[in-house]
Amino acid sequence: MSSDEVWEAPEGEGADVDPGDGRDETSAQRADRNWNELLQEFRVFQTGTQILAAFLLTLPFQQRFAQLAPFDVVVYLVLVFLAVIVTLLALAPVALHRLLFRQKAKTELVGLGSKILIVCLAAASLLFTGIVLFIVDFLLAPPAGIIAASCVFVVLIVIWVVLPLVIRAQRRAHVAGR
């Protein structure tokens, strides 16, 4: 069981403790811990994406913005919408928590928050890739922008998708080998 999964005790058991993971915590304590870990991840994520959004919002007020080719204007607008979507999604768990406060929905919040964070990371991957495309295309040429953006996207896929899948497979093989 990964640390972002919430363990629920079998019904009818007096002690609400998961003996298999080495932690002595109830399912409510686990939900609280998972929620706090998730919020920390969102805090790290929000800072970078908010800086990128602010950067994008200042560009139309620069003199060289008028020199953008039509393709660059389209890329820019897509990036602005992506930045806004990522920012709104990153704020969603806060809104959900506030609206569900004292409703004993922490387990559901953790599950939904985890899914939202994954969507945020996917959207941020597109945002980061698009920003590299936008900047390199503007400064050099469209082919250079496409090559640079493709390289960034490959690095993101390796770090954010391939590496975790390899680690999961290794852990499963290790657990199966016990």
Side-chain angles (χ1 to χ4, degrees), residues 92-148:
V94 175
L96 290 169
H97 181 262
R98 189 51 31 214
L99 294 170
L100 296 171
F101 188 66
R102 294 190 178 154
Q103 300 298 310
K104 300 186 188 299
K106 188 71 63 89
T107 301
E108 292 84 357
L109 282 170
V110 169
L112 186 56
S114 181
K115 288 177 178 81
I116 290 171
L117 185 54
I118 289 169
V119 171
C120 280
L121 290 169
S125 296
L126 297 176
L127 179 62
F128 301 147
T129 301
I131 285 174
V132 169
L133 169 66
F134 179 73
I135 291 171
V136 175
D137 172 70
F138 181 74
L139 294 175
L140 300 178
I146 291 169
I147 291 169

Side-chain angles (χ1 to χ4, degrees), residues 20-139:
D21 73 349
R23 293 182 189 259
D24 186 24
E25 61 187 0
T26 66
S27 59
Q29 290 168 328
R30 173 162 297 181
D32 287 340
R33 179 178 53 81
N34 288 340
W35 179 248
N36 288 330
E37 289 174 3
L38 194 59
L39 288 181
Q40 277 303 107
E41 292 167 0
F42 271 108
R43 283 184 192 107
V44 169
F45 180 80
Q46 284 176 339
T47 303
T49 55
Q50 287 172 344
I51 290 169
L52 285 175
F55 159 74
L56 288 170
L57 294 176
T58 64
L59 287 181
F61 303 102
Q62 306 302 315
Q63 288 180 348
R64 289 186 66 189
F65 191 81
Q67 298 172 359
L68 288 180
F71 173 77
D72 292 331
V73 172
V74 170
V75 170
Y76 170 77
L77 291 173
V78 168
L79 292 174
V80 168
F81 285 114
L82 262 175
V84 168
I85 288 168
V86 168
T87 302
L88 292 174
L89 282 171
L91 293 171
V94 175
L96 290 169
H97 181 262
R98 189 51 31 214
L99 294 170
L100 296 171
F101 188 66
R102 294 190 178 154
Q103 300 298 310
K104 300 186 188 299
K106 188 71 63 89
T107 301
E108 292 84 357
L109 282 170
V110 169
L112 186 56
S114 181
K115 288 177 178 81
I116 290 171
L117 185 54
I118 289 169
V119 171
C120 280
L121 290 169
S125 296
L126 297 176
L127 179 62
F128 301 147
T129 301
I131 285 174
V132 169
L133 169 66
F134 179 73
I135 291 171
V136 175
D137 172 70
F138 181 74
L139 294 175

